[in-house]
Amino acid sequence: MTVRPPDPLDGLIEAYLNDALDAEGLARLEAELRASPEAARRFASAARWDSTIERAVRRSRSEQVVAPGSRPLAGRRPLSEHIWGPAVAIVAHAALLVFLIRWVIFPSPPRRDDGGEADGVEIALERPAERTALEGRPGELPAPPVEVRAPPASAAATRPGESLDPVAVWMDPEDAAVSASRAGGDVALTGPHPLTERRTATARAAYLAAGGVVARQADEAAARAARWLAGRQSTDGAWREEGSDPQALTSLALLALLGRGDTHRSGPHAAVVRGALAFLTGTTGRPSDLRASALRLHAMADASAATRLPAVRAAMDLTVRQALSDQISNGGWGASSSADPVITAWMTWGLRLALAAGADEPAIHAAIARAADAMDRSLNPASGSLYYPSAGGVSPLRWSQIAGAVLTLQMAGDDAGTRALRGLKALDSMSPAWPRTGGESAGGEALLLATACRFNEGGPSWMKWYGALAASVLSRRDAGGVWSDSRGVASVRATALAILLLDTPCRYPPVSSWPVAVVPMFGNPVRLAFQGLDAFGLPEG
Amino acid sequence: MTESERHERFLAYFLRHQDEIAAVVGSMVRDRHAREDILQEVALTLWRKFDDFDEARSFGAWARGIAVHKVLQSFARQKRVPVPLAPETMEAVLAAFDATEGEAEELAEKEAALRACIEMLPEKSRRLLALRYEENLTLDAIARRLSSTLDAVNKALSRLRQALRECVHRRWAEAGA
């Protein structure tokens, strides 16, 4: 093995590629690169080689995962290399074993705050059982009797919504990255909505090509689960399950399918999407509670962007108006005069989606800003913990509420403020694990909100979070490839939630790059990003 | 061209050039996670603007230009990830990547030889590669892990890259002969 004599420029380039170059060295390297094309070529060549080695190492590793038995890149870490030395490592492993036996293999039933025994997995998109009366909604109607209908005999059978009119287009042709033209009374769309562009087959293929083994496994699992979900739809287009509001559950299932790239006209579940849209747009009664209303708003906004159907747009506008009228005086949403961070997050998320999908109600901007102000006031900037405004005390609340508050701030464009960053730091101690019976993990709703926060944050935190999240979610599938509720029964709600979690990288871009359809000219208190649109809401350039 | 043909055409171009795009972005963005975020953005932008691409020109040059633009945009938007190079330096580097485009295809062909060379490395060297490229550890962390010094790790990695380059050239020449 021969080694070339050291050259000062090579030394600088190598140190740069090793991230070991100090400020002075970087200044020298930059001066060389700008002054000499030959130096720049050597730099490009070294960077290319570095990238090729990284790719080869990572691909070798992936193949070892797929084909165990081949020679590993690096052997098992020797005991002597453990940071505290072998003795401490042995004690730590023994303690871990005892912990696993005591708390995981033979767990005792967890206690609820009210002293009762909890029985099962907490995947709650309804009001969680442990929430106090403070957060309950006075005068809430009892849930209607559940009618579970048999799934349709064939997915190809005629479904409600087959007659949805795809002719008209509501979005301005000038809208960013989207143009539409009429041909023979139909609308030919020549580009996806910026909100849904990550779901296209091409974008997904590019993501999977770069995303590695975990991305591909997550995608395959979500595709299989979506097929199961589609088969559970009732004949009227809704999904029903004991304990769930049909509008909320249908919204959740529809979101999962839309997130996979299905629309009313394309994808393997187009007929199922049409059925769900027909149910939601044809249902005139309001959902049973605020959380269900927020989910419906979320689904209508997403479907508006994905389908551009006038009927869906009208339903979205209606749910937007209802959401705005439900906002309470302190700026959030919730029972009585208190803002519930979780419901506020769902509502703000839905409103921001509606804004991106084309809603032109000017009051949305102010509503989002007021919600963010309410959450801003309730986050302790020192710890990132949330103080419930009406509780009168300073008790830190649960993950779902911290995640809800952070997500609300992100939706308002305040993702880099002290409070949002502290909130994210507080979430660092939350584990991205699928809810486990008797475990200390967060509930499903907290997981979804925190995952959205982490995704919007991006960078290393997101990559680390998603890797652990996907591994945990995938490990909790049952033999049929779906997810179960606390009784161990395959559940539409749990499965839709799992699909949404696994598909997070492909559902929307980070909120900082969502477009808006209408930009108020003056006095806009909301700090929003307008990537692709200029200050007048027109495409840049 | 139908939409499906357009998809296929784009994917063919993209898959052929994605490693080179990764190399360009990697030379300017040292944080791997930030780099992966940007690569995803680049892929989407390329697809969105694919109609504007003139097929008489080089897809690689077009894609590299967009990638560098995305790097600049990303740092303007997300200041938490530092960019080591000034925009003028990035321009010089981009020009150098354009001028040496042929090297990329040559390297793609040599990847199998590179993997064989990595397999032949002694255990310690493979461990160093794994710590740096697989676990993405900083030199400081590697030095701590291996009870070594930052300078020693820096030199060892540089020597390792050079040794692999020579091994690949040797194998390639032997295969040709």
Side-chain angles (χ1 to χ4, degrees):
Chain A
M1 188 184 295
T2 58
V3 178
R4 251 179 18 189
D7 173 281
L9 177 62
D10 284 343
L12 289 174
I13 293 172
E14 290 291 333
Y16 174 86
L17 295 175
N18 288 338
D19 303 319
L21 201 54
D22 59 16
E24 189 198 335
L26 184 62
R28 278 169 49 212
L29 176 64
E30 289 211 78
E32 289 259 18
L33 295 178
R34 286 201 291 264
S36 158
E38 173 54 27
R41 277 196 288 274
R42 276 164 65 183
F43 177 87
S45 178
R48 212 177 249 134
W49 183 238
D50 184 53
S51 175
T52 308
I53 294 175
E54 177 174 0
R55 197 166 54 248
V57 168
R58 293 174 72 183
R59 281 181 186 163
S60 294
R61 179 64 186 154
S62 299
E63 284 170 13
Q64 282 157 17
V65 170
V66 175
S70 57
R71 194 179 176 210
L73 263 175
R76 188 181 294 276
R77 193 175 166 188
L79 193 61
S80 59
E81 274 187 27
H82 276 276
I83 191 163
W84 301 304
V88 177
I90 290 167
V91 171
H93 282 89
L96 184 64
L97 185 64
V98 171
F99 174 84
L100 286 172
I101 292 169
R102 171 66 184 84
W103 295 106
V104 178
I105 300 175
F106 300 109
S108 58
R111 297 187 67 79
R112 284 185 186 169
D113 291 349
D114 61 8
E117 298 288 321
D119 56 348
V121 182
E122 183 195 358
I123 305 172
L125 285 165
E126 258 67 43
R127 178 164 20 88
E130 72 275 22
R131 292 169 85 84
T132 64
L134 182 69
E135 301 154 84
R137 194 179 178 202
E140 192 173 283
L141 293 172
V146 174
E147 179 199 357
V148 179
R149 301 186 184 190
S154 160
T158 304
R159 289 173 176 276
E162 294 285 7
S163 61
L164 281 174
D165 174 20
V167 173
V169 65
W170 53 264
M171 184 170 282
D172 283 344
E174 289 80 14
D175 195 7
V178 176
S179 61
S181 62
R182 286 171 182 275
D186 202 353
V187 175
L189 296 165
T190 58
H193 190 286
L195 203 55
T196 61
E197 64 187 358
R198 290 187 174 211
R199 304 172 190 177
T200 61
T202 310
R204 195 176 279 270
Y207 165 71
L208 293 177
V213 175
V214 171
R216 286 193 292 278
Q217 285 179 344
D219 186 62
E220 285 161 14
R224 185 179 177 195
R227 287 196 292 277
W228 179 87
L229 204 58
R232 301 288 298 172
Q233 190 182 34
S234 300
T235 48
D236 66 349
W239 278 265
R240 289 185 174 80
E241 203 164 69
E242 195 178 339
S244 296
D245 178 293
Q247 288 195 55
L249 192 64
T250 303
S251 298
L252 195 65
L254 176 62
L255 281 168
L257 295 179
L258 292 172
R260 300 279 319 142
D262 287 308
T263 71
H264 64 301
R265 289 201 298 193
S266 62
H269 310 303
V272 180
V273 169
R274 282 197 295 275
L277 289 174
F279 173 77
L280 288 172
T281 56
T283 303
T284 51
R286 295 193 63 174
S288 61
D289 61 19
L290 280 175
R291 185 180 266 99
S293 296
L295 266 174
R296 183 188 154 96
L297 168 63
H298 206 115
M300 289 297 93
D302 190 309
S304 257
T307 68
R308 298 165 183 143
L309 290 165
V312 179
R313 166 65 192 264
M316 176 184 80
D317 286 342
L318 176 66
T319 50
V320 164
R321 287 196 294 276
Q322 287 169 346
L324 293 176
S325 72
D326 284 337
Q327 193 171 24
I328 56 180
S329 59
N330 82 346
W333 282 264
S336 63
S337 60
S338 305
D340 180 324
V342 175
I343 296 173
T344 300
W346 278 114
M347 284 291 190
T348 315
W349 196 359
L351 285 174
R352 184 65 187 87
L353 272 173
L355 205 55
D360 51 10
E361 170 57 64
I364 296 177
H365 291 271
I368 292 175
R370 289 175 58 222
D373 284 346
M375 292 302 104
D376 210 21
R377 287 194 300 273
S378 63
L379 266 180
N380 173 5
S383 67
S385 297
L386 187 71
Y387 295 92
Y388 199 59
S390 67
V394 288
S395 60
L397 295 177
R398 295 169 58 82
W399 297 127
S400 60
Q401 292 166 318
I402 296 175
V406 173
L407 189 61
T408 302
L409 294 174
Q410 289 179 334
M411 289 297 141
D414 191 8
D415 57 334
T418 305
R419 284 177 167 79
L421 294 179
R422 291 286 186 181
L424 286 169
K425 191 166 173 53
L427 287 177
D428 282 346
S429 43
M430 174 179 169
S431 165
W434 183 259
R436 202 173 264 279
T437 306
E440 290 295 316
S441 55
E445 187 172 48
L447 200 56
L448 193 65
L449 295 177
T451 297
C453 292
R454 286 293 179 212
F455 175 69
N456 289 327
E457 182 192 16
S461 303
W462 162 244
M463 303 299 289
K464 189 176 162 194
W465 176 276
Y466 185 71
L469 172 79
S472 173
V473 173
L474 290 173
S475 72
R476 299 301 303 278
R477 277 173 298 172
D478 67 17
V482 299
W483 285 261
S484 303
D485 62 14
S486 57
R487 299 161 300 165
V489 177
S491 156
V492 168
R493 190 172 55 184
T495 300
L497 178 66
I499 295 172
L500 290 171
L501 287 168
L502 292 174
D503 271 340
T504 303
C506 295
R507 286 178 67 215
Y508 310 117
V511 66
S512 59
S513 58
W514 290 5
V516 292
V518 174
V519 184
M521 295 289 288
F522 303 104
N524 172 22
V526 187
R527 298 172 289 268
L528 299 173
F530 306 116
Q531 191 186 50
L533 298 170
D534 66 14
F536 302 97
L538 298 173
E540 281 177 348
Chain B
M1 197 189 307
T2 66
E3 189 67 0
S4 133
E5 286 169 342
R6 196 167 148 262
H7 276 215
E8 281 175 21
R9 203 161 184 78
F10 171 76
L11 270 182
Y13 273 123
F14 180 76
L15 294 176
R16 196 162 74 236
H17 290 90
Q18 64 170 347
D19 292 343
E20 174 73 347
I21 299 169
V24 174
V25 174
S27 72
M28 297 165 187
V29 182
R30 300 305 303 156
D31 179 277
R32 186 204 285 178
H33 304 294
R35 197 158 76 218
E36 285 171 358
D37 281 351
I38 291 170
L39 284 173
Q40 199 175 346
E41 289 272 311
V42 171
L44 282 171
T45 306
L46 291 174
W47 165 242
R48 206 185 301 155
K49 292 182 181 288
F50 189 53
D51 280 340
D52 301 340
F53 169 58
D54 173 4
E55 299 207 34
R57 296 178 55 211
S58 154
F59 182 89
W62 179 68
R64 283 191 294 271
I66 287 179
V68 173
H69 183 66
K70 275 284 158 198
V71 171
L72 285 167
Q73 240 185 13
S74 162
F75 287 119
R77 205 171 54 229
Q78 196 187 3
K79 294 189 169 56
R80 272 172 286 169
V81 183
V83 59
L85 303 178
E88 310 83 68
T89 316
M90 286 163 70
E91 269 183 42
V93 170
L94 178 61
F97 269 102
D98 285 344
T100 55
E101 191 176 32
E103 233 182 60
E105 288 193 15
E106 204 179 295
L107 278 182
E109 289 169 13
K110 289 177 177 169
E111 195 178 312
L114 171 61
R115 285 158 74 174
C117 288
I118 291 174
E119 283 281 306
M120 288 164 53
L121 286 173
E123 172 70 22
K124 275 188 177 175
S125 300
R126 284 187 296 115
R127 178 154 173 73
L128 183 58
L129 283 183
L131 292 172
R132 178 63 183 160
Y133 291 109
E134 197 185 314
E135 294 191 33
N136 202 28
L137 294 184
T138 63
L139 257 59
D140 261 341
I142 296 174
R144 278 198 302 276
R145 183 79 73 86
L146 301 181
S147 305
S148 182
T149 64
L150 194 144
D151 190 47
V153 174
N154 182 34
K155 283 180 180 157
L157 269 174
S158 302
R159 282 200 301 271
L160 203 45
R161 287 196 200 100
Q162 179 61 22
L164 284 173
R165 198 188 274 268
E166 289 176 8
C167 170
V168 167
H169 281 313
R170 199 167 50 247
R171 286 181 76 93
W172 193 251
E174 283 166 11

